[in-house]
Amino acid sequence: LAPSSALDRLELPSEVFQHLRHAAIGQNDQGHPVATVAEQLAQCGLETFVGDFDDETCCELDSMLGLRQVSFSRDVHEFRDPVAAANRLARHCNLESFECEEDPLLSSTFLCHGNTQTLRQLSVAIQDTPDESETCALDASLPSARLISMTLVEWPLCADTLFCDLSSLRHLDVTSDLEYPEAMGTAPRTLWRSLADALCLE
């Protein structure tokens, strides 16, 4: 759906779209999602959702029980509660694709607390998280991941390696956010040892 500038609300009754499984929601010319679209589509049994949510905590995720692929909007992350959204997403146990390139706190919090075992594709920005746990985003186990694309905004303080269990990995893209060079710090010498398992890396 690609809404026009004049479209602020759209009715998408779930009984009409009951077989809809994949949805990508655009924004109007003001850069805002169309009100209630994510909420309505959440009742359709979606497997893929691309776009953003009306609620700042992304409460619509609670109704997307079959979600397998999610991509958060790049443009409206400043209106979102990233920790609350990540904790809701962490309740999903069968995600295969996770894209969140403009909200490093959301993506890092999810990688700390979510089930990452089934992820096949990962496109994220990474930073340290403010909680008191001893885990960090780069501790995530990714045995199913075939593609990882990540931007490091800062090195997580307790990071020793670049993820774990990378036996399925085929493509890896690691970049730094040059807008914040002072936050990068120094990578640990042990960072790349996890790639010893990535025998299929191309």
Side-chain angles (χ1 to χ4, degrees), residues 4 9 44 65 69 81-82 87 114 127 129 132 145-146 155 173 176 193-194:
S4 70
R9 188 179 184 89
C44 297
L65 302 180
Q69 302 176 80
D81 181 337
N87 288 330
Q127 69 170 61
T129 53
E132 299 295 328
R146 296 171 60 87
W155 293 110
D173 181 16
S176 62
R193 68 185 180 189
S194 59

Side-chain angles (χ1 to χ4, degrees), residues 4-95:
S4 70
S5 59
L7 190 58
D8 293 320
R9 188 179 184 89
L10 185 65
E11 295 298 327
L12 295 170
S14 58
E15 62 269 19
V16 176
F17 295 94
Q18 58 183 311
H19 300 297
L20 185 67
R21 295 295 176 263
H22 309 283
I25 309 302
Q27 300 172 346
N28 60 27
D29 289 348
Q30 283 73 46
H32 300 296
V34 180
T36 75
V37 168
E39 178 183 355
Q40 294 176 77
L41 292 181
Q43 311 302 320
C44 297
L46 289 180
E47 296 178 6
T48 303
F49 182 80
V50 178
D52 207 57
F53 302 87
D54 299 313
D55 179 70
E56 65 179 11
T57 70
C58 303
C59 67
E60 297 91 345
L61 284 167
D62 293 346
S63 299
M64 296 181 179
L65 302 180
L67 194 64
R68 294 185 178 275
Q69 302 176 80
V70 62
S71 177
F72 286 85
S73 170
R74 298 185 176 203
D75 301 320
V76 295
H77 63 278
E78 63 268 22
F79 304 113
R80 188 188 300 133
D81 181 337
V83 174
N87 288 330
R88 289 187 186 278
L89 187 63
R91 299 170 190 162
H92 291 265
C93 297
N94 297 303
L95 282 181

Side-chain angles (χ1 to χ4, degrees), residues 54-197:
D54 299 313
D55 179 70
E56 65 179 11
T57 70
C58 303
C59 67
E60 297 91 345
L61 284 167
D62 293 346
S63 299
M64 296 181 179
L65 302 180
L67 194 64
R68 294 185 178 275
Q69 302 176 80
V70 62
S71 177
F72 286 85
S73 170
R74 298 185 176 203
D75 301 320
V76 295
H77 63 278
E78 63 268 22
F79 304 113
R80 188 188 300 133
D81 181 337
V83 174
N87 288 330
R88 289 187 186 278
L89 187 63
R91 299 170 190 162
H92 291 265
C93 297
N94 297 303
L95 282 181
E96 297 178 359
S97 177
F98 173 45
E99 182 175 339
C100 184
E101 298 177 338
E102 298 294 326
D103 196 337
L105 183 53
L106 191 162
S107 54
S108 298
T109 302
F110 169 74
L111 289 172
C112 285
H113 303 294
N115 175 24
T116 58
Q117 298 292 305
T118 56
L119 283 174
R120 295 169 58 85
Q121 296 188 48
L122 185 66
S123 256
V124 293
I126 299 293
Q127 69 170 61
D128 203 18
T129 53
D131 61 21
E132 299 295 328
S133 69
E134 296 181 358
T135 61
C136 71
L138 295 182
D139 288 333
S141 173
L142 298 167
S144 302
R146 296 171 60 87
L147 184 152
I148 297 174
S149 175
M150 56 180 286
T151 299
L152 284 163
V153 176
E154 62 180 352
W155 293 110
L157 291 178
C158 57
D160 291 322
T161 65
L162 185 68
F163 302 118
C164 304
D165 306 317
L166 298 177
S167 58
S168 299
L169 188 64
R170 299 181 70 90
H171 304 284
L172 175 65
D173 181 16
V174 180
T175 59
S176 62
D177 187 339
L178 298 180
E179 292 183 6
Y180 306 102
E182 70 282 359
M184 289 302 297
T186 302
R189 293 184 178 181
T190 57
L191 182 73
W192 304 108
R193 68 185 180 189
S194 59
L195 294 182
D197 295 331

